[in-house]
Amino acid sequence: MFMSLVRDYYIKRKGRKGREKFPLHYVLIAGIAGIIPDLDVAAFLILNFFGFAYNEVHRTFLHSIFIPLIFLVLAIFFYFYKIEIGKKKLKLWIISLMIFVGTFFHLLLDAVFQGSIMPFYPFSS
């Protein structure tokens, strides 16, 4: 939703060209990326067979700040190479940036509303 608001603001300022430069595909990517931190629930289904409890798996490794930072570093890296993919010529650096935004806002909202994430896991609990 945040990226949808950013896109609407960008289009209002840039006019019709803003719609072409910031297609709705990027908003979709950011929205889907917002569920990446909760993929540790799927990991729990596997790790449960090895004796791990739910609270030992959920909100640990995928809820650390390192996951969004990986995608931010990738966005910076891809920015210099100008790689475009697909029929819509989506820029890889913006895709990485949208994944960063989606995962970061998931962590931010979990920290505000749930209050229980481990941002520096595995270095601290």
Side-chain angles (χ1 to χ4, degrees), residues 1-114:
M1 182 168 152
F2 173 75
M3 287 313 302
S4 181
L5 294 173
V6 169
R7 179 180 184 264
D8 290 344
Y9 176 76
Y10 184 75
I11 289 171
K12 284 181 185 175
R13 297 201 74 218
K14 297 289 184 179
R16 183 137 178 85
K17 290 189 178 192
R19 186 178 304 262
E20 296 164 4
K21 290 185 179 184
F22 199 94
L24 200 54
H25 294 82
Y26 292 133
V27 176
L28 177 66
I29 290 168
I32 292 172
I35 64 169
I36 289 174
D38 281 338
L39 291 177
D40 56 8
V41 174
F44 164 72
L45 296 175
I46 297 168
L47 293 173
N48 186 30
F49 293 112
F50 299 104
F52 286 92
Y54 182 75
N55 61 351
E56 292 176 324
V57 178
H58 187 56
R59 294 204 175 113
T60 55
F61 55 94
L62 287 180
H63 277 77
S64 70
I65 195 69
F66 301 113
I67 300 300
L69 286 179
I70 288 170
F71 290 105
L72 182 61
V73 169
L74 285 173
I76 294 168
F77 176 76
F78 290 134
Y79 177 77
F80 295 107
Y81 289 101
K82 309 290 186 205
I83 301 170
E84 296 179 345
I85 59 174
K87 292 179 185 177
K88 300 288 184 181
K89 303 279 187 196
L90 299 176
K91 294 173 178 61
L92 197 55
W93 76 273
I94 297 178
I95 291 172
S96 298
L97 190 64
M98 292 301 105
I99 296 172
F100 161 75
V101 169
T103 55
F104 181 76
F105 270 91
H106 180 106
L107 297 180
L108 184 68
L109 290 173
D110 270 1
V112 169
F113 293 114
Q114 298 294 325

